[in-house]
Amino acid sequence: NAGVTQTPKFQVLKTGQSMTLQCAQDMNHNSMYWYRQDPGMGLRLIYYSASEGTTDKGEVPNGYNVSRLNKREFSLRLESAAPSQTSVYFCASSVIQANQETQYFGPGTRLLVL
Amino acid sequence: AQKITQTQPGMFVQEKEAVTLDCTYDTSDPSYGLFWYKQPSSGEMIFLIYQGSYDQQNATEGRYSLNFQKARKSANLVISASQLGDSAMYFCAMREGRTSYDKVIFGPGTSLSVIP
């Protein structure tokens, strides 16, 4: 049981380049999330997915697209990277069991856009 | 408007003492959930404790307890018997709505330093 995994761990892009951040969870959770964390700040929600095939915008969706092709995987795509997208990106999944909700995070992807 | 407020950007506590980290929230939804997370310098996010809006009792998890005051819309985290390993950023978060289909919003965080 690996929990939530993210690839890559680190990435350097040039302005205008594109890339996809991958996220997978093996806990059979319906809900998955993408957050970004800028230095000295809390997490901000980019997109979330309530279930396979559905996605919704969070607080800061501009410049990103997501894809939830199956229950396990939720990817985040930067079509044309900008320096303002330099951040640490966290993927998470969550579950509610017996009225107790728990959110599990991946280790994060550190992205630098030059 | 700020949904989650953490007014203490930085806190210090003596080892073995208890410490309270403040969190206030704003919602008009009667159904919501409150979370606390720890982020050590290594960067990972660690789930600590959860409180549902309908829970009658304060949540506890080992040395962590959540002081839930619904009328005041506060959800303070209490760490008892602080340890050096508790030094980290602590984030309060809220999910509005009944199911995890709804968004989870984070506060700005409090940096806790435990002094030997």
Side-chain angles (χ1 to χ4, degrees):
Chain A
N1 189 339
V4 181
T5 57
Q6 290 182 238
T7 55
K9 286 189 168 54
F10 303 96
Q11 184 71 47
V12 179
L13 292 178
K14 293 181 180 177
T15 297
Q17 287 186 315
S18 62
M19 79 161 294
T20 299
L21 281 64
Q22 305 287 354
C23 173
Q25 51 93 9
D26 60 1
M27 296 173 283
N28 204 37
H29 292 169
N30 284 318
S31 298
M32 296 186 74
Y33 309 79
W34 275 107
Y35 294 92
R36 62 178 285 175
Q37 184 179 31
D38 299 318
M41 295 181 66
L43 278 69
R44 290 184 294 169
L45 183 66
I46 305 172
Y47 270 94
Y48 69 105
S49 170
S51 61
E52 179 182 343
T54 69
T55 61
D56 285 282
K57 294 179 180 179
E59 297 174 72
V60 289
N62 291 344
Y64 304 96
N65 284 303
V66 290
S67 178
R68 182 87 183 269
L69 294 176
N70 54 58
K71 195 170 187 179
R72 193 172 166 275
E73 296 169 300
F74 188 37
S75 60
L76 178 72
R77 182 158 178 85
L78 286 71
E79 289 291 352
S80 179
S84 61
Q85 294 178 303
T86 292
S87 191
V88 180
Y89 291 84
F90 287 97
C91 177
S93 68
S94 69
V95 65
I96 296 177
Q97 291 173 324
N99 289 327
Q100 166 79 23
E101 180 169 352
T102 307
Q103 198 172 40
Y104 299 86
F105 282 81
T109 295
R110 294 182 183 275
L111 176 66
L112 174 62
V113 183
L114 301 174
Chain B
Q2 283 272 32
K3 291 273 190 179
I4 301 285
T5 303
Q6 293 180 255
T7 56
Q8 307 152 313
M11 291 276 289
F12 291 89
V13 64
Q14 203 75 40
E15 193 179 6
K16 299 179 185 175
E17 298 289 314
V19 63
T20 297
L21 306 183
D22 294 342
C23 173
T24 57
Y25 58 92
D26 181 27
T27 181
S28 56
D29 196 317
S31 183
Y32 53 90
L34 298 156
F35 307 77
W36 276 94
Y37 294 88
K38 173 184 177 181
Q39 187 177 42
S41 57
S42 54
E44 74 262 39
M45 294 290 288
I46 303 167
F47 167 77
L48 295 177
I49 198 165
Y50 169 83
Q51 178 87 40
S53 59
Y54 294 117
D55 293 344
Q56 296 294 319
Q57 294 185 322
N58 287 343
T60 60
E61 197 71 48
R63 293 186 299 111
Y64 304 108
S65 60
L66 200 152
N67 184 359
F68 182 45
Q69 298 187 43
K70 197 169 182 176
R72 296 178 60 184
K73 294 189 176 177
S74 82
N76 298 339
L77 177 72
V78 180
I79 306 174
S80 63
S82 298
Q83 301 172 356
L84 295 178
D86 293 336
S87 294
M89 283 291 291
Y90 288 81
F91 293 97
C92 179
M94 175 178 67
R95 170 190 48 75
E96 290 182 289
R98 184 173 290 277
T99 73
S100 62
Y101 291 178
D102 301 282
K103 306 171 190 179
V104 178
I105 298 173
F106 282 73
T110 294
S111 175
L112 177 67
S113 298
V114 180
I115 305 165

